[in-house]
Amino acid sequence: MKIKNILLTGVAVLALTSCNDYLEVDAPSKYTKEFVYSQKSEIERSLNGVYAQALVGDLYGNAYQKTFILNSDVDIAISSSSAHSHTTYQRFDCDDEGGDILKFWTAAYRLIEYANIFIKETEGSPIYYTTDDDGNQTTTPDAEILQWVGEAKCLRAMVYHDLVVMFGDVPFSFAPSYEQGSTVMLPVTDREEIQKTLIADLQKAVKGMSSTSSTTVERCSKEYAQALIARIALTAGGYSLRPDKNNTRSYGSMQRPTDYQNYYRIAMNYADSVILAGTHSLIGSSYQDVFVNECNYQVVNNGDVIFEIPFAKESTGNTGYNQGPTYSDYEGATVGAWGKCDGGTRLNAFYRFLFRDGDARREFVNGMWYYSYFTNSEGNLADSVYIRNDYSVHNNKWSKLWTNAGSALGNTTTGSTGINFPYMRYADVLLMYAEAANELNDGPTTKAVNCLSEVHNRAFPNGDGTYLTDIAASKDRFQKAILDERKWEFAGENMRWRDLVRTNTYSEELVYSFLRYYSAGMQNVGSMTGYEDAINDHDGYTDGNGYIDNLPSRVYYHTYNIDEVNAYGLRMYRAQLYGYQVDDAGNVTQKYPNQDMQSLRIYNAYKPMPSPVTSAITRGGFKAKSWLSADFYKWGNESNGQPVDQCKYSFYGYIRCDDGGNLWIIRDGVLTQFSNIPAANELPPVRYILPYPGTVIQRSSGEYKNYYGY
């Protein structure tokens, strides 16, 4: 692919290429602002410099994908610490000294500054308008330049939106810093005012932008701008944590605007604009294909993805290094073409029980195995696959291991995979439309049901009975179905906690997320908590056969010795071992992205079953390798009869258990003991809002102030 040189005059010189290009930097001394913004080629390079700011690890390259995905019933970072920490953002227990907050804040405002400069200078450029045949300037903007300005406005709106979701009211301006003076602090602006301004700015920009049918999903398009308007509007119309400015110790309260339906209407209309454009579809590829394509650097412009952040191979982005199975090394070396994988961005251990049977997303996303290396008896480095049986499972949406071996990243490569990250997908647009239409019409419309159905049906190739008919029976049932669908659809995409905040359901879901771990840990030491029925009811197991008191605590699995398989010509088992799951009749039930590395056949991942009979999987006189087993949910401390610390403290800043077995929920920093699960409307809000960085507050000389008990 073409190598591009990127320049942003007046701020810094940066480089950006599309996903597989290398970066190259030009010396800044030969450029002036007047030169850059008087030539289209240089304006395009300057725009690429704006894109480059989104790729850094402190922003979307790593932090957005890992550090600031907060704990929920879907995504989780386990913690065993019973003490406060500056940096435990995921468990709602941090403060303004957390270094990652300052890094994210700084990177976000750097992108905004680059975008502000680009928009200001480009709109003031002598070539912003076209010229007629006589060389006279017209009042018609140049179409290509107008598209570039729209792209910069999308990037600016994207990062402002994420700042508002994470920090609440934040400093806000569309003016470059050189217009404000070096000593002027940007004023903190109410989040609703920011959201209104972003929506209006994008509404103007979208009129001059190109469709993804004529550009690429690695750049901001008309459809992305429309989808981003819908996302900002839906967020603005939803709930958020508001501060009590008369009491800085208060964690605040959940509120939504009185005119929230106006925002829902904007969201519905702009989501509908994307749908009516017809440029994106879920038809033609599976859910799994969306992410495997990204892992193989395949850009699909008419599919699910509307905008994916375009990382550069071997240079930026940790997509597929953070996610997927751990692939550890041995004294710095690894076997195979892929190199080390961290695999540390995980999913809740109980997430897989929250799916409906037959959902292909469950089998693909929930990764229950990992890889490690050792020196074999011959003294050679060898690899082995292991079952993952700790406090979480891997998110298998992305992985370096899904990259075809022939185009892999190299043995010594760790992060900087260059795998793109899907910031906006068509599935999200369909579900945003369904949610907004359901709210505005006091129940689901036919189109809203069809939108949800399109997402749901892709995940159920064999259908799902009367499910879609049942959920359309009422407004509340349909709203719950939308949230469930988003729960199943967007694991690892920094969505779930935001959806729960917007719908004011975060408090309730965190209580049950904690109780699942607590209950499993107590059962391990022979005690029932009394919460099991409530958990089963909450999770939709209403037939008296709930999973939480009937977990598959011993899971059976096996692999095969490949030499034995080859010797007996057992092609079925070779397929099963290397990339496929095959049932006893020889039917392929699941195809894994990597066809070269082992994966485990797991017998009872979702319900307890008796030990499998080895003879049932015997073919051609060859007796398969004996089933192995692993103990799950061994989370009890027999010395004190309590769950281990990982079960007690992974939601530390909201709900926890002490060493005496007492359960506590935190309201405005005060621990309140409980034994019965409080009603949803009695629960305190979750302090998901992050504090302004302490360094920023100090530099503001009193202009900025933290609330929410920080």
Side-chain angles (χ1 to χ4, degrees):
M1 298 177 71
K2 181 181 178 182
I3 297 176
K4 299 178 182 177
N5 301 320
I6 288 74
L7 166 73
L8 186 60
T9 303
V11 182
V13 178
L14 293 175
L16 169 69
T17 63
S18 55
C19 65
N20 288 331
D21 291 344
Y22 292 89
L23 305 185
E24 187 172 311
V25 176
D26 282 341
S29 59
K30 61 183 179 181
Y31 297 104
T32 64
K33 184 169 64 176
E34 290 74 16
F35 171 77
V36 169
Y37 293 101
S38 64
Q39 299 190 46
K40 289 184 70 172
S41 61
E42 299 304 325
I43 291 175
E44 184 179 18
R45 291 186 183 187
S46 186
L47 173 63
N48 289 339
V50 182
Y51 273 96
Q53 292 306 297
L55 310 188
V56 298
D58 293 334
L59 201 54
Y60 296 105
N62 187 75
Y64 182 86
Q65 300 184 42
K66 182 177 183 179
T67 310
F68 296 111
I69 296 183
L70 307 187
N71 284 355
S72 69
D73 52 348
V74 175
D75 309 286
I76 197 165
I78 294 296
S79 175
S80 61
S81 175
S82 60
H84 163 72
S85 168
H86 298 307
T87 59
T88 44
Y89 317 103
Q90 294 97 328
R91 65 175 194 167
F92 325 102
D93 174 50
C94 67
D95 56 39
D96 62 8
E97 295 183 38
D100 296 301
I101 296 176
L102 178 60
K103 292 176 182 177
F104 188 94
W105 181 281
T106 302
Y109 278 101
R110 183 180 293 118
L111 190 159
I112 290 166
E113 173 71 356
Y114 276 43
N116 284 345
I117 291 173
F118 176 84
I119 295 164
K120 172 72 175 179
E121 297 298 336
T122 301
E123 290 184 332
S125 166
I127 62 170
Y128 181 70
Y129 296 101
T130 59
T131 56
D132 59 25
D133 293 339
D134 297 325
N136 299 313
Q137 193 174 72
T138 70
T139 58
T140 304
D142 180 275
E144 194 168 29
I145 294 180
L146 202 60
Q147 163 67 19
W148 295 340
V149 170
E151 292 182 48
K153 288 186 174 184
C154 284
L155 294 172
R156 179 173 67 182
M158 177 179 78
V159 74
Y160 262 133
H161 167 71
D162 288 322
L163 282 169
V164 163
V165 171
M166 295 166 65
F167 294 92
D169 306 331
V170 295
F172 178 74
S173 177
F174 279 173
S177 59
Y178 60 72
E179 289 189 348
Q180 305 169 49
S182 60
T183 61
V184 176
M185 300 297 295
L186 292 179
V188 172
T189 304
D190 183 89
R191 68 198 69 177
E192 190 175 353
E193 183 62 31
I194 295 173
Q195 290 160 331
K196 285 180 179 178
T197 305
L198 295 176
I199 290 170
D201 190 51
L202 289 176
Q203 285 173 327
K204 181 180 178 181
V206 75
K207 298 175 182 178
M209 296 188 70
S210 300
S211 167
T212 46
S213 62
S214 58
T215 179
T216 168
V217 296
E218 291 189 303
R219 306 297 287 243
C220 302
S221 64
K222 178 188 288 287
E223 288 85 350
Y224 174 55
Q226 292 168 332
L228 189 55
I229 291 171
R231 179 179 289 181
I232 295 170
L234 200 62
T235 302
Y239 287 88
S240 65
L241 186 61
R242 292 282 186 162
D244 181 349
K245 294 189 176 181
N246 296 317
N247 179 10
T248 56
R249 294 187 178 183
S250 169
Y251 282 11
S253 60
M254 296 297 288
Q255 302 175 27
R256 75 188 314 176
T258 55
D259 61 344
Y260 72 91
Q261 287 192 335
N262 291 336
Y263 292 108
Y264 274 72
R265 190 165 289 105
I266 293 170
M268 184 182 72
N269 289 339
Y270 276 89
D272 197 32
S273 295
V274 180
I275 296 168
L276 293 175
T279 51
H280 291 273
S281 174
L282 306 187
I283 299 171
S285 62
S286 69
Y287 180 80
Q288 175 175 304
D289 288 342
V290 174
F291 307 100
V292 175
N293 283 339
E294 288 179 322
C295 294
N296 285 282
Y297 310 106
Q298 297 177 22
V299 178
V300 179
N301 291 317
N302 61 350
D304 189 357
V305 177
I306 294 176
F307 174 62
E308 55 187 33
I309 299 175
F311 296 111
K313 189 174 178 181
E314 296 193 50
S315 178
T316 54
N318 281 346
T319 314
Y321 173 71
N322 291 328
Q323 303 92 351
T326 300
Y327 185 89
S328 61
D329 57 16
Y330 179 84
E331 296 182 352
T334 55
V335 173
W338 295 274
K340 181 179 179 179
C341 298
D342 176 71
T345 300
R346 303 283 186 84
L347 300 175
N348 194 300
F350 300 97
Y351 179 48
R352 67 183 186 273
F353 297 104
L354 306 183
F355 285 79
R356 293 175 62 81
D357 287 341
D359 193 327
R361 293 170 296 198
R362 180 181 73 177
E363 312 306 321
F364 170 53
V365 173
N366 290 275
M368 297 179 64
W369 74 92
Y370 67 99
Y371 301 94
S372 189
Y373 297 91
F374 62 95
T375 302
N376 61 22
S377 57
E378 289 78 28
N380 299 318
L381 197 63
D383 66 331
S384 186
V385 60
Y386 300 90
I387 195 163
R388 173 64 71 190
N389 63 333
D390 55 17
Y391 305 97
S392 56
V393 299
H394 293 290
N395 180 352
N396 275 358
K397 272 188 175 177
W398 306 272
S399 176
K400 289 165 57 178
L401 306 181
W402 303 165
T403 306
N404 294 327
S407 59
L409 300 177
N411 289 340
T412 60
T413 304
T414 54
S416 299
T417 62
I419 297 171
N420 288 353
F421 183 83
Y423 186 85
M424 183 71 72
R425 294 201 280 121
Y426 186 57
D428 190 8
V429 171
L430 292 168
L431 294 176
M432 286 193 289
Y433 179 91
E435 182 173 343
N438 183 59
E439 181 65 35
L440 292 170
N441 292 278
D442 201 32
T445 62
T446 299
K447 185 166 183 174
V449 174
N450 289 340
C451 286
L452 189 149
S453 301
E454 189 170 345
V455 179
H456 190 80
N457 289 340
R458 179 175 64 172
F460 287 84
N462 297 320
D464 192 22
T466 61
Y467 174 74
L468 293 169
T469 302
D470 293 342
I471 62 172
S474 70
K475 175 184 176 181
D476 290 343
R477 189 177 296 183
F478 193 70
Q479 172 64 15
K480 182 182 184 304
I482 292 168
L483 278 178
D484 282 344
E485 202 67 46
R486 297 184 68 87
K487 172 178 65 181
W488 302 324
E489 181 76 15
F490 296 115
E493 297 183 52
N494 209 334
M495 290 277 205
R496 179 58 173 171
W497 69 271
R498 296 168 180 240
D499 291 339
L500 296 175
V501 166
R502 186 185 71 254
T503 55
N504 199 19
T505 52
Y506 205 5
S507 298
E508 183 179 15
E509 291 302 332
L510 280 186
V511 167
Y512 283 96
S513 295
F514 167 81
L515 289 177
R516 293 182 192 106
Y517 279 91
Y518 176 71
S519 178
M522 289 298 290
Q523 288 181 55
N524 183 238
V525 292
S527 298
M528 302 298 285
T529 66
Y531 300 119
E532 286 77 16
D533 287 345
I535 295 170
N536 287 325
D537 288 345
H538 179 80
D539 293 345
Y541 292 83
T542 57
D543 58 359
N545 190 29
Y547 74 96
I548 198 67
D549 49 1
N550 196 28
L551 289 166
S553 57
R554 174 159 292 181
V555 172
Y556 297 93
Y557 64 97
H558 68 73
T559 62
Y560 292 85
N561 181 294
I562 193 62
D563 293 330
E564 292 178 334
V565 172
N566 288 338
Y568 284 88
L570 300 180
R571 296 176 60 191
M572 182 179 93
Y573 291 112
R574 181 180 178 88
Q576 181 173 283
L577 179 59
Y578 286 85
Y580 293 86
Q581 291 280 35
V582 184
D583 64 20
D584 292 339
N587 301 309
V588 173
T589 58
Q590 180 74 13
K591 177 181 177 182
Y592 289 107
N594 190 309
Q595 304 297 297
D596 298 293
M597 297 183 69
Q598 297 180 21
S599 57
L600 299 180
R601 180 182 183 186
I602 300 173
Y603 172 68
N604 60 326
Y606 303 101
K607 57 184 178 180
M609 297 171 68
S611 175
V613 179
T614 303
S615 60
I617 54 171
T618 300
R619 296 288 187 274
F622 170 72
K623 187 175 182 180
K625 181 178 180 179
S626 299
W627 287 88
L628 304 173
S629 65
D631 291 331
F632 275 63
Y633 319 110
K634 296 298 183 181
W635 300 340
N637 187 333
E638 295 184 0
S639 64
N640 62 12
Q642 291 296 313
V644 296
D645 289 349
Q646 287 86 343
C647 297
K648 294 179 179 180
Y649 301 123
S650 291
F651 304 90
Y652 182 87
Y654 186 73
I655 185 170
R656 68 182 85 152
C657 176
D658 64 24
D659 289 340
N662 303 302
L663 304 187
W664 304 88
I665 200 163
I666 293 85
R667 184 189 298 272
D668 295 338
V670 178
L671 276 69
T672 302
Q673 190 174 349
F674 73 94
S675 55
N676 297 318
I677 302 174
N681 61 359
E682 296 175 351
L683 291 169
V686 180
R687 187 175 65 165
Y688 69 88
I689 290 281
L690 298 172
Y692 298 159
T695 301
V696 172
I697 291 178
Q698 293 170 11
R699 290 174 180 171
S700 77
S701 300
E703 291 290 325
Y704 301 161
K705 185 177 183 178
N706 269 324
Y707 296 95
Y708 311 103
Y710 286 116

